[in-house]
Amino acid sequence: MDATASVIFIIAAFSLGAIVIMKRDSLPPGLRRGLALVSIAFIAFAFFLIVYAFFTMGSA
């Protein structure tokens, strides 16, 4: 597993979530809902990557 790509994805996912939260008043309602769902999916996968990295830290 490439750690650099995982770290970049994790930072990007959390940044997208923060931007959606900070700019929620200026986004149109339809776009707001779609971006929120995509952000939740990305952040959930980022948490999975963090947990997976901790479980596989001792091996290899």
Side-chain angles (χ1 to χ4, degrees), residues 34-57:
L35 279 176
L37 290 174
V38 169
S39 298
I40 289 171
F42 283 172
I43 291 170
F45 188 65
F47 273 121
F48 168 76
L49 287 177
I50 292 169
V51 171
Y52 178 76
F54 282 138
F55 278 126
T56 60
M57 195 180 300

Side-chain angles (χ1 to χ4, degrees), residues 17-30:
I19 290 170
V20 168
I21 289 172
M22 288 188 290
K23 295 292 184 178
R24 68 178 173 256
D25 295 331
S26 62
L27 294 171

